[in-house]
Amino acid sequence: MRGGGGLPDYTIASADIKEEKEFILKVCAPFLFKSITNNINYGSIQKKVITSADVYFAYNTKILGFIVFYANDNSSNISYISMFAVNPEYRNKHIGTRLLENSFITAANRGMTKVKLEVDRQNIDAITFYKNRGFVMTKEITDESYYMVVSIK
């Protein structure tokens, strides 16, 4: 896949086995707005990702970004993005958009009609990114975050 914006070619791939998912989580954790590795439940989060989530990542000579999502709720047909980040050195080069598009395609192919995520209220860059891609805030909020949703079908 051609990078764009002066970025060398890069590829988006799926992490399909346990070791790949563990590696992507480890390498990409520092890209997140708030690190999940300090989370008291990190072990259970990691286990859930390994057993149930889809993981896509962008790379050339190194990992540029990743997205972790679930597209398996056939009762609500809502896919859920649980982690999504691009290395700060490579932001604003369409990598995040392409990762998001790949997750939308997978979710739609599995019968999902919407994608939902939770975003930290202080992460203005992410909120702007999601709004620019059609996400809207829902009425659900917590003290620290907003929920956002977009229709994909």
Side-chain angles (χ1 to χ4, degrees), residues 28-36 66 82-86 91:
C28 295
F31 305 163
L32 294 167
F33 186 71
K34 289 184 179 177
S35 177
I36 59 165
F66 78 121
S82 65
M83 288 180 252
F84 180 33
V86 173
R91 291 184 182 158

Side-chain angles (χ1 to χ4, degrees), residues 3-150:
L7 184 69
D9 287 339
Y10 65 91
T11 300
I12 294 183
S14 174
D16 297 318
I17 61 173
K18 175 185 176 189
E19 292 79 12
E20 290 173 335
K21 290 180 180 182
E22 287 173 341
F23 177 76
I24 297 301
L25 288 176
K26 180 180 176 183
V27 170
C28 295
F31 305 163
L32 294 167
F33 186 71
K34 289 184 179 177
S35 177
I36 59 165
T37 56
N38 296 331
N39 187 316
I40 197 163
N41 296 320
Y42 180 68
S44 63
I45 292 168
Q46 184 181 31
K47 182 178 179 183
K48 186 175 178 184
V49 168
I50 290 167
T51 59
S52 304
D54 286 281
V55 178
Y56 287 127
F57 60 100
Y59 70 97
N60 53 24
T61 58
K62 61 183 175 180
I63 305 296
L64 308 174
F66 78 121
I67 190 166
V68 175
F69 65 100
Y70 300 87
N72 54 7
D73 186 345
N74 294 320
S75 60
S76 71
N77 294 331
I78 297 174
S79 179
Y80 186 80
I81 296 172
S82 65
M83 288 180 252
F84 180 33
V86 173
N87 181 327
E89 296 175 38
Y90 295 95
R91 291 184 182 158
N92 300 309
K93 299 185 184 303
H94 308 289
I95 295 167
T97 299
R98 291 203 175 90
L99 287 165
L100 197 60
E101 289 169 350
N102 276 273
S103 73
F104 287 1
I105 291 166
T106 298
N109 286 341
R110 293 188 189 157
M112 304 295 115
T113 58
K114 294 181 181 182
V115 175
K116 185 176 180 179
L117 56 83
E118 185 175 357
V119 61
D120 190 291
R121 292 176 132 185
Q122 297 176 11
N123 194 345
I124 303 303
D125 289 342
I127 292 168
T128 301
F129 174 85
Y130 296 130
K131 283 183 175 180
N132 288 340
R133 279 142 193 90
F135 281 83
V136 295
M137 290 186 188
T138 69
K139 292 182 181 178
E140 301 172 276
I141 58 170
T142 70
D143 290 341
E144 297 180 3
S145 62
Y146 298 114
Y147 286 98
M148 299 182 79
V149 67
V150 66

